[in-house]
Amino acid sequence: MAGTLRNLPSIKIAKFYSGRDRLCTACESKEWQEIFRPAKAHRAPQPEAWFVEDFWATSLYCPFCRLCLNSFSKDPAFAAVCRRKEPGWVCKVVPIFYIDFVTNAKQVTSTHNLIRRLKLFLLPGPEATPPESSPHILQVFADDTVDGSMKLNLGRPVECSRVNMDLLREWLTGCEEHHAISCAPATNDHGTKFAFRLVDVKDRRVVSSCHDVSYVALSYTWGDPNHFKHLKLTSESSIWLHTQGALSDDNPDIPTTIKDALRLGEQLGERYIWIDAICIQQDDDNDKASQIPCMDKIYGCAKLTIVAGAGSDAWAGLPGVGAKLKPRSIAQMYCTVHGLRLVTCLELYHQWRLGSTWDTRGWTFQEKALSKRLLIFGSEQIYFQCKSDLWCEDTICENFDENVISKTLEADGYGGGSPFTQYELYLGHYVHRSFGYRNDVLNAFRGLENHLRPDLSHEFYWGLPVSMFDAAIGWTFPYHYPDRRRGDFPSWSWAGWDFSGLWQGYAFRYPTYRTVGREVLWHKICTTQSIRKIIDSKLPEFVKPGPNKTMGHLEYMQTSRNTSIAGPPPTSPSSASMSHILQFWTSSARVKVDRSPSLDRKLYINSRFPELNKMQNNDYVNMLSLDNKTIGHINLNRDWRSRKPDCLEFIVISRYCPYPPTDTDPDGFYVLLIEWISGIAYRVHAPEQSIKAEDWTNADPEWKLISLA
């Protein structure tokens, strides 16, 4: 039953055949059409999973089992098992929902369509628990019997050696014509603001650009500068790079990724491309200072951003592009079962993200979030993501028919909600990114700050929006990592902590901004004149006035307690810059904190990852009042806690203002755990929940002047 695909391009698709094919008993009993594409989608029950227990034997003659075996054989995790054909191993086949869509959506006779895929698991026995996910997935190939919108979400062939340029142009044109409002690049006026340069892909040289010129951008990882040579625009190379032909293919000093991007831009019909390393003068601090904050404009105005997502450095290239073609890492495999042509899926978008170096780097996050369109080169296939949709080479996802409603499931999204919510979403992803130079953490966020500036805050201070400072300084992270401090940044800013690599469900979060009330007058220190200035946190327009948003708390504090700060600014120890220091009066209390974990939650801050929780060397401990009543909880590093006294100092940073307050949800305070070094306080950690006002009062607080660095 293994068949030849008719009327498909002549490309390399692996085919497996052994003697006279027939389905095994388990596969023969299945209603294959109903599994993949049921006739009555809205009434179709979810098919049950099944096992093929004599998997090694059935794969010799069953085309479906053979397809599964060959899919596993290409996986390094199972290659040895498949080669040895160890006894007892089984294949578990799980039908999964992929997508549904509606045709004739504007008519009464609209039709609901359902598409399923098969997820495959290779297990040491039927009783073994499968992992949460598997990269081994099968889908149905589109063929000549399927027309129009009925081809949506079916498979298509992908050539290993060369990208399908016609498909890439179709994606770009389709987005331009059908997603005009949401995906249209912003107006390019860079040339009026700074020395904006582009690479001319025809003349192969750097040129100075005027405003309102169409261009594409490149996003890639440079790689370790100690191991990889990287071409850069400098005062020394400037004249040469502006010379026609300087960036020709035969120049061995040009990284492969840049060469491939130039060739791709030319094949897409684009004249200009922006590449950071050779469009910003890397040894000119003024040039970098003028352009780094404008990444929102540079990427937001680009017609398309090409993403080199298949390697870890600038020499990795773009698979399927370039004078010396680098083929994709794996080929599709297929078989025919009861008239359905089944094919292995190439790497899904979310799977590519999990294994991608590009998607872990700090600088590439704003390039991803701010670009209108991304053309992402993975090792197995290409993905096109715009602000409206996500498409990929091996599946027909693109839909330009207004009568058809279809949406893919796994596209990234960083928009929606209020401007502060968007700020939270950005940071929730950004803080987990890594940097080749750790001091780049704020520079690589400048473009996002500029993007947020019109609606959120006219000023950011160490990465925190001044207009929402009381909420922004209340950020929390589930675990306490005292060894992950970035000493070049203040401890009260998220930039002062390195959370790179800590992504597995660990949520960086803020208090709900509508519950935060002003409780503190913040003073920053001007390093040039050594005078204090009050941080003006005037609320932005999107925060609607309400009983919990009046400045009553601030007015009460000013009239009832001392808030003046007299005398010279504090002397900064060598470990803290003067610009790091915030001075303010606030309520402070020494609170007894347990040394053993709380019985109600113990270590399990994230129930989905109990084993990872145990690895963090943290305990979730009680905070106790003077009469030993539990008033809150905090997660603390065990080693750090063992070196500290029974009572630890907490300070109030804002008021918790539920509206309306209730007996079960009364007013309270957001607090911060601090420690003192040479007369300067530093953030240690913060409880995720507020402390009830009554409980805080019972902790016997005092009014205290704090210098927080």
Side-chain angles (χ1 to χ4, degrees):
M1 284 187 158
T4 302
L5 293 180
R6 295 174 298 172
N7 301 317
L8 289 175
S10 178
I11 64 175
K12 182 181 178 182
I13 297 182
K15 176 187 171 187
F16 300 95
Y17 181 80
S18 176
R20 183 178 176 82
D21 280 352
R22 58 185 176 85
L23 293 178
C24 66
T25 303
C27 294
E28 182 63 44
S29 64
K30 304 304 173 187
E31 295 285 343
W32 291 93
Q33 183 66 47
E34 286 298 303
I35 289 175
F36 283 101
R37 199 160 195 171
K40 297 181 179 179
H42 62 289
R43 297 180 182 177
Q46 176 65 19
E48 294 183 357
W50 74 88
F51 290 94
V52 181
E53 298 194 13
D54 50 349
F55 183 56
W56 308 127
T58 58
S59 62
L60 295 174
Y61 61 86
C62 175
F64 178 81
C65 294
R66 191 184 311 127
L67 178 63
C68 299
L69 173 61
N70 282 281
S71 178
F72 292 129
S73 298
K74 299 293 184 181
D75 188 337
F78 297 120
V81 173
C82 294
R83 186 172 58 253
R84 293 192 298 264
K85 294 183 168 55
E86 297 177 3
W89 284 73
V90 300
C91 176
K92 184 176 183 179
V93 185
V94 182
I96 58 171
F97 169 81
Y98 174 59
I99 197 74
D100 62 1
F101 61 97
V102 177
T103 55
N104 302 320
K106 298 180 180 181
Q107 302 178 19
V108 178
T109 57
S110 60
T111 303
H112 184 78
N113 297 272
L114 174 67
I115 299 293
R116 293 194 187 98
R117 291 175 168 182
L118 295 182
K119 185 179 291 187
L120 310 176
F121 297 92
L122 186 58
L123 304 173
E127 304 303 321
T129 302
E132 287 190 5
S133 62
S134 170
H136 304 281
I137 299 175
L138 306 181
Q139 66 178 342
V140 177
F141 235 118
D143 59 23
D144 296 342
T145 64
V146 182
D147 296 320
S149 62
M150 297 307 291
K151 287 187 176 181
L152 274 175
N153 307 305
L154 298 181
R156 65 179 155 208
V158 176
E159 185 176 355
C160 287
S161 60
R162 187 183 299 274
V163 301
N164 183 344
M165 291 303 304
D166 289 337
L167 178 61
L168 303 191
R169 296 188 194 98
E170 179 185 339
W171 282 346
L172 183 56
T173 302
C175 178
E176 288 177 326
E177 294 179 354
H178 298 275
H179 304 161
I181 297 177
S182 58
C183 301
T187 301
N188 172 8
D189 58 357
H190 312 329
T192 64
K193 297 183 178 180
F194 52 82
F196 184 59
R197 306 176 188 90
L198 290 168
V199 177
D200 187 322
V201 300
K202 182 179 179 181
D203 293 343
R204 295 300 175 100
R205 65 189 181 106
V206 176
V207 296
S208 297
S209 172
C210 60
H211 66 282
D212 200 25
V213 61
S214 175
Y215 65 94
V216 297
L218 175 65
S219 178
Y220 65 112
T221 54
W222 287 22
D224 187 342
N226 296 320
H227 294 88
F228 298 100
K229 184 177 180 181
H230 197 300
L231 179 66
K232 300 176 184 177
L233 174 65
T234 63
S235 55
E236 183 179 354
S237 65
S238 179
I239 295 177
W240 168 66
L241 283 173
H242 282 79
T243 303
Q244 186 165 343
L247 297 171
S248 60
D249 284 342
D250 57 0
N251 188 331
D253 294 330
I254 302 174
T256 308
T257 297
I258 292 179
K259 287 183 180 179
D260 290 353
L262 295 176
R263 180 174 288 268
L264 177 64
E266 193 171 22
Q267 291 175 331
L268 290 173
E270 298 298 323
R271 179 69 185 264
Y272 300 104
I273 184 170
W274 187 87
I275 302 171
D276 55 1
I278 52 180
C279 291
I280 300 176
Q281 188 162 323
Q282 301 299 317
D283 60 353
D284 185 336
D285 290 341
N286 291 329
D287 198 47
K288 290 195 290 186
S290 67
Q291 298 202 46
I292 285 175
C294 297
M295 291 298 108
D296 60 320
K297 301 296 185 185
I298 290 173
Y299 283 94
C301 293
K303 182 178 181 179
L304 174 75
T305 296
I306 300 165
V307 174
S312 58
D313 59 74
W315 295 90
L318 305 177
V321 177
K324 297 180 180 179
L325 291 175
K326 177 184 176 182
R328 265 66 90 76
S329 62
I330 195 168
Q332 293 167 299
M333 295 171 281
Y334 79 96
C335 73
T336 302
V337 176
H338 282 193
L340 291 176
R341 290 163 177 168
L342 308 185
V343 64
T344 52
C345 292
L346 298 178
E347 191 171 47
L348 302 181
Y349 177 72
H350 75 273
Q351 294 169 343
W352 164 79
R353 282 189 56 193
L354 291 175
S356 164
T357 299
W358 178 86
D359 210 44
T360 65
R361 294 294 187 258
W363 282 100
T364 61
F365 177 73
Q366 65 177 359
E367 297 164 11
K368 177 182 183 181
L370 297 172
S371 296
K372 298 294 186 177
R373 306 182 184 101
L374 298 167
L375 189 63
I376 303 169
F377 283 76
S379 60
E380 296 184 16
Q381 65 170 325
I382 300 173
Y383 316 91
F384 181 94
Q385 179 168 291
C386 61
K387 298 301 182 183
S388 303
D389 226 327
L390 172 67
W391 304 325
C392 57
E393 278 187 284
D394 75 340
T395 305
I396 303 172
C397 302
E398 53 276 10
N399 169 36
F400 306 126
D401 188 342
E402 295 180 356
N403 291 318
V404 178
I405 300 175
S406 176
K407 189 71 175 178
T408 51
L409 300 178
E410 54 181 0
D412 293 320
Y414 304 110
S418 71
F420 189 78
T421 300
Q422 192 170 30
Y423 171 76
E424 290 181 78
L425 288 172
Y426 284 155
L427 276 181
H429 291 269
Y430 181 75
V431 296
H432 299 283
R433 300 281 182 129
S434 61
F435 296 87
Y437 301 97
R438 55 185 289 167
N439 289 349
D440 282 346
V441 62
L442 281 182
N443 279 337
F445 196 71
R446 299 296 186 203
L448 294 166
E449 288 181 354
N450 262 357
H451 178 67
L452 294 166
R453 204 176 293 271
D455 297 320
L456 178 60
S457 179
H458 66 283
E459 180 186 355
F460 285 77
Y461 192 57
W462 292 105
L464 276 60
V466 168
S467 67
M468 300 287 290
F469 200 82
D470 302 276
I473 201 171
W475 62 268
T476 62
F477 193 77
Y479 292 107
H480 173 213
Y481 297 105
D483 58 341
R484 282 180 169 258
R485 267 285 285 133
R486 289 190 182 112
D488 295 324
F489 302 91
S491 66
W492 46 265
S493 168
W494 52 263
W497 300 85
D498 180 7
F499 299 119
S500 60
L502 303 173
W503 176 247
Q504 298 258 19
Y506 304 150
F508 177 90
R509 60 171 64 94
Y510 283 92
T512 303
Y513 70 86
R514 293 189 181 279
T515 69
V516 177
R518 174 80 70 84
E519 190 68 19
V520 172
L521 274 178
W522 307 98
H523 295 74
K524 61 182 179 179
I525 297 176
C526 178
T527 55
T528 55
Q529 298 176 321
S530 295
I531 59 173
R532 305 175 187 91
K533 293 184 178 180
I534 296 176
I535 293 178
D536 178 20
S537 47
K538 181 181 179 181
L539 294 173
E541 291 296 324
F542 71 87
V543 181
K544 296 180 180 179
N548 62 329
K549 281 289 163 254
T550 66
M551 301 310 291
H553 304 305
L554 178 58
E555 293 168 1
Y556 172 77
M557 183 182 65
Q558 287 179 303
T559 56
S560 64
R561 290 174 173 173
N562 175 34
T563 60
S564 63
I565 300 178
T571 302
S572 172
S574 58
S575 60
S577 166
M578 291 288 285
S579 65
H580 291 186
I581 296 175
L582 291 175
Q583 277 198 302
F584 53 95
W585 286 89
T586 190
S587 181
S588 167
R590 297 192 65 82
V591 177
K592 184 177 180 181
V593 178
D594 275 348
R595 296 181 182 275
S596 56
S598 168
L599 294 177
D600 57 350
R601 286 181 68 184
K602 294 187 178 180
L603 297 174
Y604 302 109
I605 305 303
N606 190 317
S607 59
R608 290 183 58 203
F609 302 95
E611 293 304 316
L612 288 172
N613 286 320
K614 294 177 184 178
M615 294 168 57
Q616 307 309 316
N617 193 30
N618 271 226
D619 283 328
Y620 189 72
V621 294
N622 292 325
M623 299 164 55
L624 304 173
S625 64
L626 297 177
D627 57 359
N628 283 330
K629 174 187 173 184
T630 299
I631 62 174
H633 304 87
I634 190 170
N635 208 40
L636 292 176
N637 177 274
R638 293 191 195 101
D639 295 336
W640 183 92
R641 183 69 191 96
S642 68
R643 299 190 300 267
K644 303 300 177 181
D646 289 343
C647 293
L648 305 176
E649 185 172 357
F650 291 81
I651 58 173
V652 169
I653 55 174
S654 62
R655 180 177 286 272
Y656 172 62
C657 306
Y659 183 74
T662 64
D663 292 339
T664 57
D665 190 21
D667 280 355
F669 297 103
Y670 292 108
V671 301
L672 189 67
L673 173 60
I674 62 171
E675 61 180 346
W676 293 84
I677 301 174
S678 302
I680 302 293
Y682 294 84
R683 182 192 199 275
V684 174
H685 201 44
E688 290 188 298
Q689 304 297 325
S690 61
I691 307 298
K692 294 179 181 178
E694 180 183 359
D695 290 339
W696 183 255
T697 301
N698 291 336
D700 194 24
E702 62 174 324
W703 193 243
K704 190 172 183 179
L705 177 62
I706 305 293
S707 296
L708 182 66

